[in-house]
Amino acid sequence: MGGGPEVPLREGAQKNDVLLAVLPWPEQLSAKIISEIKDEFPKLEIHYIQENFPKKDRAKTEVPEDLTKRAKFLATIAWLPATASKSPNLELIQFFSAGTNHIAEHPIYTDSEIPLTTASGVHGPQIAEWVIMLNLVHSHNYIQLYEQQKKKEWVQSKGAQVRDGVGRRVGVLGYGSIGRQVARLAQALGSDVIAYTASPRKTPESRRDNGFIVPGTGDPEGSIPSAWYSGLDKKSLHEFLRQEIDLLVLSVPLTKDTQHFLSTDEFELLHKSNPNGTYVANISRGGIIDQPALIKALESKQISGAALDVADPEPLPSDDPLWDAPNVLITPHISGMSTVYAERAFGVLRENLRRRRDGKNFVNQVDRKRGY
């Protein structure tokens, strides 16, 4: 475990399979699960290189050429060999991110067939809590109450207009691991959940979650939604948005089909469907929403507010008008962060090592044509 100079092999000896991890966290954060992987796969040679952080310093990360050539498995967020030929033995690249759109133009993505898998599934608990937390901050008028606290004022009227979650409708646009955990928490609050997926899910089998699931979370059988909608066309999307949604959660990947999925027409439709105001939470990518249209929707009260963990662009410039839009809460793309993130992501890698050993399909494998 760990890096260091290569020791010459005795003549006739065989090298072990190499797992190369190039990640931005200290190795110590994942020491326990790395040790468990080593125990389960004793012939696996693990080398961990801490990637330079922040992003602007990634290019300065030094990865020995010999390790790059020998690596059979690569664990990474963004670092990749320049081309597939630089890593001729690679059989799997396990990304520790939910998506791969950030490397979609890289030669390994466009010009190779090396299997790519993601860490989809590890983000559900913390992101779902972020969604519910900010929705409650909004629905319980907490910002006003906090400002009142700072002024040392005791005025109960500012906390009187509260609408709890019972009987409210939560629309989950993108019913993957994150959306399913949002649904689980929303159901616990007494809310009705409806789901939207790219492709139809008309059978119980099609509604099951076959990805990585943090134990005790999510909706493995797809049994929570009271109704399912699907499609990538505007007509199908609009049918979903007509369902009097109180909380709309965006958890779809950013592709050419979902770019500006929500724009002027969609915000107008949400307002007509629910005059009380839909609250929009975006934890996917900023480009899912037409940002100028969102600002207008907030200013005209077509929606009741927005919780945004993503923006377009990122970082959001200090002079961007989104900062000053009414009833908006913005966090700097941190909803997926967790003290156990790295451990869970290594858990996905361990599952894929097991599946390779057992001749099974990888979990969370990317379909390059679909983009996720």
Side-chain angles (χ1 to χ4, degrees):
M1 201 161 52
E6 293 296 313
V7 179
L9 293 173
R10 298 188 305 274
E11 185 176 353
Q14 293 184 349
K15 291 188 176 182
N16 294 329
D17 289 343
V18 171
L19 165 59
L20 173 61
V22 185
L23 297 165
W25 309 286
E27 183 178 358
Q28 291 84 345
L29 290 180
S30 309
K32 180 177 181 291
I33 191 165
I34 290 175
S35 178
E36 291 172 357
I37 291 173
K38 184 64 178 176
D39 289 341
E40 186 171 351
F41 301 92
K43 294 184 178 181
L44 187 64
E45 184 180 319
I46 302 176
H47 292 266
Y48 193 107
I49 295 174
Q50 186 172 347
E51 182 182 34
N52 289 327
F53 200 78
K55 293 180 181 179
K56 63 183 178 66
D57 295 326
R58 277 176 176 164
K60 300 177 184 178
T61 303
E62 295 184 6
V63 180
E65 184 178 349
D66 183 63
L67 284 180
T68 303
K69 287 181 178 179
R70 290 179 55 206
K72 184 165 285 189
F73 314 107
L74 172 63
T76 183
I77 288 182
W79 183 89
L80 289 172
T83 63
S85 63
K86 298 289 185 181
S87 293
N89 296 306
L90 268 182
E91 295 185 5
L92 171 67
I93 300 177
Q94 173 69 63
F95 285 93
F96 276 37
S97 55
T100 54
N101 61 292
H102 60 295
I103 55 92
E105 303 300 321
H106 194 284
I108 283 183
Y109 190 100
T110 58
D111 302 333
S112 84
E113 296 182 357
I114 300 170
L116 313 176
T117 56
T118 71
S120 178
V122 308
H123 312 77
Q126 62 270 35
I127 294 183
E129 289 178 14
W130 180 96
V131 169
I132 298 300
M133 175 181 70
L134 292 196
N135 182 53
L136 292 175
V137 164
H138 172 73
S139 64
H140 285 249
N141 302 314
Y142 180 71
I143 297 297
Q144 295 181 45
L145 295 171
Y146 181 61
E147 291 301 320
Q148 181 178 295
Q149 177 189 336
K150 290 193 293 184
K151 296 176 184 178
K152 301 179 182 178
E153 295 177 348
W154 187 279
V155 183
Q156 290 182 321
S157 60
K158 291 185 179 180
Q161 300 301 313
V162 171
R163 185 179 177 190
D164 58 44
V166 178
R168 302 189 78 192
R169 174 159 289 165
V170 177
V172 182
L173 185 54
Y175 204 65
S177 60
I178 295 169
R180 288 169 186 257
Q181 180 63 4
V182 170
R184 187 185 185 105
L185 299 184
Q187 184 186 55
L189 293 175
S191 299
D192 174 56
V193 177
I194 59 175
Y196 191 96
T197 54
S199 55
R201 306 293 179 90
K202 296 182 178 180
T203 66
E205 177 61 33
S206 68
R207 293 177 178 179
R208 291 188 182 126
D209 184 356
N210 295 314
F212 181 83
I213 303 173
V214 176
T217 71
D219 179 18
E221 299 301 319
S223 59
I224 292 177
S226 61
W228 291 71
Y229 300 81
S230 64
L232 291 171
D233 59 286
K234 288 292 188 178
K235 181 179 179 181
S236 299
L237 174 63
H238 289 181
E239 181 61 25
F240 174 71
L241 297 179
R242 288 191 183 96
Q243 305 307 311
E244 300 181 44
I245 296 171
D246 295 297
L247 169 61
L248 176 63
V249 183
L250 308 182
S251 57
V252 293
L254 179 61
T255 68
K256 60 181 178 61
D257 293 312
T258 61
Q259 179 78 26
H260 288 182
F261 216 32
L262 260 64
S263 190
T264 301
D265 291 345
E266 288 69 43
F267 291 123
E268 290 179 354
L269 188 58
L270 285 171
H271 178 64
K272 290 179 181 178
S273 170
N274 184 0
N276 291 323
T278 300
Y279 193 64
V280 177
N282 188 8
I283 49 80
S284 50
R285 292 293 184 270
I288 302 295
I289 296 179
D290 178 349
Q291 206 155 278
L294 170 65
I295 294 171
K296 290 181 180 179
L298 289 165
E299 291 174 342
S300 64
K301 297 184 179 180
Q302 285 183 319
I303 57 175
S304 64
L308 309 172
D309 189 48
V310 290
D312 186 17
E314 292 185 11
L316 187 65
S318 60
D319 60 351
D320 194 289
L322 183 62
W323 288 109
D324 297 314
N327 296 318
V328 64
L329 296 173
I330 301 172
T331 57
H333 207 147
I334 49 76
S335 66
M337 295 183 181
S338 166
T339 56
V340 295
Y341 184 100
E343 179 181 347
R344 287 177 180 161
F346 266 109
V348 182
L349 173 59
R350 177 170 58 183
E351 175 63 22
N352 276 327
L353 291 174
R354 289 170 175 168
R355 291 189 175 208
R356 174 187 173 275
R357 177 194 62 197
D358 300 338
K360 298 179 179 179
N361 294 331
F362 292 128
V363 68
N364 295 347
Q365 183 163 352
V366 175
D367 181 332
R368 283 171 164 87
K369 291 183 179 179
R370 296 179 68 182
Y372 57 93

